[in-house]
């Protein structure tokens, strides 16, 4: 391992962690704008192409908790570097994939590498900063997280040209090598000194398997049918494994998860709030992109740039919300609830959408409210979670938070997708029949509308446009409901102040404290 005689600056450590995090967050949604190009180039259906996102998100929802624990045991810098190296390699493989099956496989592997990095970026930052500066550091970290998720479509729009989509992955090669250099130079070696140097393999298999079954069911239920044997079997297997997990952990000599973590009400409520907030915001974002590109006729670049007002608000508010959240202490729930209310209001605004609505009057105000909500919530929730746990357990806590956010995103994508398809398939056929359109023609028009594509000629164009907008408005109703639950969870966050040591955990090579 790279050795140091002088500890790195904590601010350089923050730069290194945020650089890696930014790559991950951009990559989470950069593929959305490349859907049509990937499908055309690899001759893949929409359902197949969707797995390039679903497979990645499934892995980032399943593995972060285990990887955060491995970082606590073996060294956060070592596990982070292993994940970063894997991310660079799999990015290259994705960019060179010869067919859709290979691309899906490489995206799944890339998701595992990303899940290794994600929780450790937060625990590295937490360990590098003293308690009095941790709110600012987490605010900056959260700002990069939010910016990356929103900037993904913008970068995708810049890199996708016609059927040329491969640079959305190949761009990670030079950036990834730079991230590796930053990590080697500036990330100190820290771990949990009390963690046994053993791995709870049964617990890892049971937890990962249970979550994988549930997430697969949530993501594929809309396509295969919620009552199909495959989906019912996935939910049953997932429920069984997750029920067995606490029993496995109680018998483990060195359990993967400290179950007492979940006896902390502040931790549980903050994680639940993060789950619901991510389901509402990031679960609905792919459908906003589809609405703009396929219904409003935006190019991929125009669709990405449409998020810029929200991105600016996120950049301004993330660091501020981290600092204010630290000063508010147990009242941090006020910020988290306010951000969730802002996102809820963004969905309320979408209720007024009409077929003739455009970006400026129909979507921009909602995006501004959404950016305000993201800027308030992400950093404050992160601070609420890590402040509820001892510093030595920050890897486990940040891993659980990352898992909650990504599972929330995956669940949100499935919920919003199911709601939209059900609305289109319920609303459109009788309306087309009323307009005198033959059933044989109607089937194709319904299929187009499920992709947010209205018909070309009248009267079908008016009918399909109205149905698409009405179905999209239904997504706003679903979003309002999820935000209401997120607000309720945020109201129950009452973090206790955990006494922090004067310095970061004992390092593996050189002191972890930084100037």
């Amino acid at each position: 391992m790279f050795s140091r005689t002088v500890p790195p600056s904590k601010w350089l450590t923050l730069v290194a962690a945020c650089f890696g995090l930014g790559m991950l967050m951009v990559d989470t949604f950069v593929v959305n704008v490349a859907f049509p190009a990937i499908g055309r180039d690899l001759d893949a259906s929409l359902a197949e192409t969707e797995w390039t996102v679903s497979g990645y998100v499934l892995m980032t929802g399943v593995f972060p908790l285990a990887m955060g624990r491995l970082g606590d045991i073996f060294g956060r810098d070592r596990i982070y570097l292993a994940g970063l190296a894997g991310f660079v390699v799999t990015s290259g493989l994705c960019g060179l994939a010869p067919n859709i099956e290979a691309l899906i496989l490489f995206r799944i592997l890339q998701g595992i590498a990303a899940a290794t990095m994600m929780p450790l970026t937060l625990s590295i930052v937490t360990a590098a900063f003293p308690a009095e500066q941790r709110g600012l550091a987490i605010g900056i970290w959260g700002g990069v997280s939010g910016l990356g998720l929103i900037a993904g479509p913008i970068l995708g729009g810049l890199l996708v040209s016609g059927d040329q989509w491969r640079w959305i992955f190949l761009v990670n090669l030079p950036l990834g090598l730079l991230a590796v250099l930053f990590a080697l130079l500036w990330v100190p070696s820290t771990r949990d000194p009390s963690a046994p140097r053993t791995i709870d393999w049964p617990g890892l298999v049971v937890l990962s398997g249970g979550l994988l079954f549930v997430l697969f069911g949530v993501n594929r239920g809309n396509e295969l049918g919620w009552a199909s044997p495959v989906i019912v079997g996935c939910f049953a297997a997932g429920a069984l494994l997750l029920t067995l997990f606490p029993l496995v952990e109680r018998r483990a000599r060195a359990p993967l998860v400290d179950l007492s973590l979940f006896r902390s009400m502040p931790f549980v409520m903050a994680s639940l709030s993060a789950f619901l907030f991510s389901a509402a915001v990031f679960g609905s974002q792919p459908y906003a992109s589809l609405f703009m590109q396929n219904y409003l006729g935006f190019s991929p670049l125009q669709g990405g740039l449409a998020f810029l007002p929200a991105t600016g608000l996120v950049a301004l508010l993330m660091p501020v919300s981290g600092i204010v959240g630290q000063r508010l202490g147990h009242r941090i729930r006020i910020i988290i609830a306010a951000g969730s209310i802002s996102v809820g209001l963004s969905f309320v605004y979408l209720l007024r959408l009409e077929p003739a609505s455009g970006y400026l009057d129909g979507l921009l105000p909602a995006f501004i409210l959404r950016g305000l909500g993201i800027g308030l919530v992400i950093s404050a929730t992160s601070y609420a979670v890590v402040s509820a746990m001892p510093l030595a357990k920050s890897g486990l806590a940040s891993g659980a938070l990352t898992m909650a956010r990504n599972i929330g995103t995956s669940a949100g994508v499935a919920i919003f997708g199911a709601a939209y398809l059900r609305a289109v398939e319920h609303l459109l056929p009788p309306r087309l029949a009323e307009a005198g359109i033959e059933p044989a023609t109607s089937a194709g028009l319904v299929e187009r509308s499920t992709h947010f594509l209205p018909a070309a000629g009248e009267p079908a164009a008016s009918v399909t446009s109205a149905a698409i907008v009405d179905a999209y408005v239904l997504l706003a109703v679903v979003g309002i409901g999820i935000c209401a639950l997120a607000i309720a969870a945020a109201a129950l966050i009452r973090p206790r102040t955990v006494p922090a040591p004067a310095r970061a955990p004992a390092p593996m090579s050189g002191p972890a404290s930084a100037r």
Side-chain angles (χ1 to χ4, degrees):
M1 175 55 64
F2 189 81
S3 62
R4 308 176 182 86
T5 57
V6 179
S9 163
K10 59 180 176 287
W11 297 108
L12 293 178
T13 299
L14 180 63
V15 168
C18 287
F19 192 88
L21 176 69
M23 286 200 325
L24 297 182
M25 294 298 100
V26 167
D27 211 72
T28 300
F29 284 116
V30 71
V31 179
N32 287 346
V33 298
F35 269 0
I38 291 174
R40 289 192 302 267
D41 186 43
L42 299 181
D43 193 24
S45 67
L46 180 63
E48 290 173 323
T49 309
E50 283 176 351
W51 260 106
T52 60
V53 168
S54 295
Y56 181 92
V57 174
L58 283 174
M59 295 303 103
T60 57
V62 168
F63 285 100
L65 185 60
M67 297 308 173
R69 183 60 175 152
L70 290 177
D72 286 342
I73 295 173
F74 295 111
R76 295 164 186 132
D77 60 325
R78 292 180 177 182
I79 302 301
Y80 173 75
L81 275 168
L84 181 54
F87 187 82
V88 173
V89 171
T90 52
S91 294
L93 292 173
C94 288
L96 299 174
N99 52 53
I100 191 63
E101 292 80 12
L103 179 58
I104 291 170
L105 173 61
F106 295 148
R107 278 288 281 174
I108 289 173
L109 296 176
Q110 188 186 38
I112 295 174
T116 304
M117 295 172 61
M118 279 181 182
L120 295 173
T121 59
L122 179 55
S123 57
I124 286 169
V125 169
T126 302
F129 282 80
E132 63 271 14
Q133 293 181 321
R134 203 167 291 145
L136 172 61
I138 292 175
I140 295 172
W141 174 91
V144 171
S145 177
L147 279 172
L149 284 168
I150 296 175
I154 299 175
L155 181 61
L158 290 169
L159 295 176
V160 174
S161 175
D163 290 346
Q164 302 303 312
W165 52 270
R166 297 179 184 273
W167 273 106
I168 66 173
F169 298 113
L170 295 178
V171 73
N172 287 331
L173 296 180
L175 295 177
L177 293 176
L178 190 58
V180 169
L181 177 62
F182 288 168
L184 288 171
L185 292 174
W186 298 334
V187 175
S189 300
T190 62
R191 65 181 180 90
D192 179 359
S194 64
R197 295 183 65 84
T198 57
I199 301 175
D200 175 23
W201 291 114
L204 177 60
V205 171
V206 171
L207 177 62
S208 301
L211 289 172
L212 184 60
F213 275 121
V214 172
L215 286 174
F216 181 87
V218 169
N219 274 270
R220 297 294 89 185
N222 198 53
E223 176 189 343
L224 301 178
W226 294 99
S228 69
V230 172
I231 298 304
V232 172
C234 282
F235 283 130
L240 176 62
L241 289 173
L242 292 176
T243 301
L244 289 174
F245 178 68
L247 303 177
V248 172
E249 293 301 274
R250 287 192 185 101
R251 296 186 177 186
R253 185 176 61 180
L256 177 70
V257 175
D258 181 357
L259 296 179
S260 64
L261 188 75
F262 298 96
R263 298 192 192 110
S264 167
M265 185 59 67
F267 173 83
V268 171
M269 286 297 104
S271 297
L272 178 60
S273 177
F275 170 89
L276 293 166
F277 185 82
S278 295
V281 175
F282 304 122
S284 64
Q285 184 166 317
Y287 302 100
S289 295
L290 280 170
F291 186 81
M292 288 187 292
Q293 290 188 43
N294 290 355
Y295 181 79
L296 295 180
F298 283 22
S299 69
L301 179 57
Q302 289 173 326
L305 292 174
F307 290 109
L308 271 180
T311 304
L313 274 174
V314 171
L316 287 173
L317 291 175
M318 281 286 193
V320 176
S321 69
I323 298 171
V324 174
Q326 184 174 13
R327 292 180 177 174
L328 284 174
H330 70 278
R331 292 175 295 169
I332 196 171
R333 63 185 182 277
I334 296 173
I335 294 181
I336 300 173
S340 299
I341 290 171
S342 181
V343 172
L345 290 175
S346 76
F347 286 116
V348 170
Y349 187 86
L350 291 177
L351 296 177
R352 61 185 296 279
L353 272 179
E354 297 177 350
S357 298
Y359 170 72
L360 291 178
D361 63 329
L363 297 179
L364 179 59
F367 286 172
I368 291 174
L369 287 168
R370 177 173 293 202
L372 175 63
I374 295 171
L376 290 174
V377 167
I378 297 295
S379 295
T381 305
S382 300
Y383 185 78
V385 166
V386 297
S387 64
M389 292 293 117
L391 184 59
K393 305 298 181 184
S394 62
L396 176 61
S398 59
L401 176 62
T402 303
M403 183 173 67
R405 283 175 172 159
N406 285 293
I407 293 175
T409 298
S410 182
V413 169
I415 291 168
F416 283 109
Y420 179 78
L421 288 176
R422 190 172 184 84
V424 168
E425 291 167 358
H426 174 74
L427 294 173
L428 191 51
R431 294 184 183 183
L432 291 172
E434 259 184 52
I437 297 173
E438 295 294 328
T441 305
S442 295
L445 295 176
V446 171
E447 175 64 23
R448 281 179 56 87
S449 297
T450 61
H451 299 282
F452 291 78
L453 291 168
E458 294 294 350
S462 298
V463 175
T464 54
S465 294
I468 290 170
V469 171
D470 288 346
Y472 192 64
V473 167
L474 178 63
L475 299 193
V477 175
V478 174
I480 291 169
I482 297 175
C483 285
L485 295 175
I487 294 165
L492 296 175
I493 299 173
R494 300 174 185 271
R496 300 183 300 271
T497 301
V498 177
R503 56 188 299 172
M508 295 169 59
S509 60
S513 59
R515 50 186 175 275

